[in-house]
Amino acid sequence: MSTQEQQPALATLKRFYEAETAYLASGGGDFSGIAATLDPECVIYQPASLPYGGEWRGHSGFEAWMKAFAEQWSSLEVKDSELYPNGDVIVSKSHVYAVAKKTGRAADWPLLQFFRVRNSKIFELWPFHWDTATLLEALKP
Amino acid sequence: MQSSASEATPKAVLLRFYEAEANYMKSFEDNGIASFDEMRETMAPDVVLHQSPDLPYGGDYLGYEGYEQWAVKMSSIFDKLEVAEREFFEQGEKVIVVCRFITRSRINGSVQDFPMAQVVTVRNGKIVDFRPFYWNVPAYVAAATR
């Protein structure tokens, strides 16, 4: 049995990543591919101190969060990705490289993302940034 | 039957560490003194604790001595530390724990109640690396500000 069959949440996350890559590659016009991988009641949580902080709910909330994020960061690259599945949750460990759009400052940081899956769709997403204070410094005009 | 240290999974080692930590804290509360020996048993001599640089106790802490220095700094800032709702994710030599971390500032009485995630690396039955990810570092900076 493959790992994906043992851990069905992995297949969901893979579909989400593929849809996200396609969305970003196309310049972010059609959100329907990503929406198909999200539970209608999905929530993405962001630390309150960030410019895109707070809770973003549902498909429209998720799309709005992606736009708010893209207003702050460009040249986003995610490297060294490791996945830690357990039941309906996956934790992804990676390293992010990005450039702050308004200041041109480069920043990179370790990132953990906690995904909870419901009915084969992404239901909750909690990103743990290594140091939100460092991110704010890069974004500060 | 207990497995030997080298056979213990990263999660099993981390649970032993938590137990030792709880005993340490209880002894400190009850008697005002506690031995670090039980916690030391769960960590390698060259253990590294990485703390996000902008935290009031930011930076890397090396070895047993470094770990103890960090613990002293933490207790000078917080008079309550509580971890709840732990979930574990294990793979290879690493275990990731996601939890709720509740702290109370000794300095200004503020309470921080946020999610937290921590990557713990275990080799030969001992913890060699801790990397905790705080949800929102500025909240901890504020906790240490009078």
Side-chain angles (χ1 to χ4, degrees):
Chain A
M1 198 156 75
S2 76
T3 310
Q4 285 196 9
E5 284 163 338
Q6 288 167 342
Q7 301 283 358
L10 272 180
T12 300
L13 186 61
K14 191 166 170 274
R15 280 203 310 277
F16 167 74
Y17 279 148
E18 283 166 2
E20 189 184 44
T21 304
Y23 175 81
L24 294 174
S26 71
D30 179 8
F31 189 71
S32 61
I34 293 183
T37 68
L38 302 174
D39 187 281
E41 293 172 355
C42 67
V43 189
I44 176 164
Y45 300 86
Q46 291 283 345
S49 61
L50 294 177
Y52 39 86
E55 297 178 9
W56 303 79
R57 293 180 176 273
H59 291 180
S60 58
F62 204 100
E63 186 177 8
W65 167 75
M66 285 193 82
K67 290 198 166 129
F69 185 87
E71 277 173 22
Q72 300 295 333
W73 299 103
S74 61
S75 314
L76 187 75
E77 262 192 284
V78 180
K79 291 185 177 169
D80 306 327
S81 206
E82 292 173 20
L83 299 178
Y84 293 75
N86 187 1
D88 61 359
V89 176
I90 298 176
V91 176
S92 148
K93 175 179 175 291
S94 59
H95 202 100
V96 179
Y97 298 82
V99 175
K101 230 174 198 170
K102 291 172 188 162
T103 65
R105 281 187 217 121
D108 69 279
W109 64 94
L111 174 70
L112 292 183
Q113 288 182 288
F114 176 100
F115 292 92
R116 193 182 299 280
V117 169
R118 184 169 82 172
N119 301 324
S120 302
K121 309 265 173 130
I122 305 284
F123 178 53
E124 270 181 58
L125 170 53
W126 297 79
F128 293 85
H129 308 280
W130 173 239
D131 193 328
T132 44
T134 306
L135 297 195
L136 285 170
E137 196 54 41
L139 292 170
K140 205 158 64 181
Chain B
M1 193 173 76
Q2 281 194 332
S3 60
S4 73
S6 60
E7 289 168 329
T9 65
K11 181 180 168 184
V13 174
L14 183 61
L15 289 175
R16 274 214 313 273
F17 168 83
Y18 284 151
E19 196 184 333
E21 189 182 40
N23 290 341
Y24 178 90
M25 287 168 81
K26 181 156 192 337
S27 169
F28 200 84
E29 271 168 34
D30 292 351
N31 314 314
I33 191 164
S35 164
F36 191 64
D37 292 353
E38 195 187 348
M39 279 171 73
R40 190 186 299 236
E41 275 297 298
T42 64
M43 297 187 266
D46 57 352
V47 62
V48 186
L49 167 63
H50 308 271
Q51 294 283 354
S52 309
D54 289 304
L55 286 168
Y57 42 90
D60 287 353
Y61 296 84
L62 310 179
Y64 300 139
E65 203 178 308
Y67 194 94
E68 281 196 82
Q69 281 167 1
W70 167 77
V72 169
K73 276 193 194 175
M74 277 298 268
S75 62
S76 72
I77 296 171
F78 302 108
D79 61 7
K80 179 188 166 189
L81 294 161
E82 197 185 316
V83 175
E85 299 162 30
R86 280 181 181 134
E87 290 183 66
F88 295 91
F89 304 86
E90 197 173 26
Q91 192 140 279
E93 62 182 9
K94 290 192 178 75
V95 56
I96 296 179
V97 53
V98 180
C99 64
R100 210 174 125 201
F101 186 50
I102 305 145
T103 48
R104 186 175 60 207
S105 165
R106 203 181 275 286
I107 294 158
N108 59 32
S110 62
V111 173
Q112 299 72 46
D113 183 350
F114 294 112
M116 179 194 233
Q118 174 153 230
V119 184
V120 178
T121 309
V122 173
R123 259 176 231 137
N124 301 319
K126 306 269 185 187
I127 296 172
V128 294
D129 199 280
F130 292 97
R131 187 180 280 276
F133 287 69
Y134 291 77
W135 180 245
N136 195 23
V137 167
Y140 295 90
V141 175
T145 308
R146 206 165 285 279

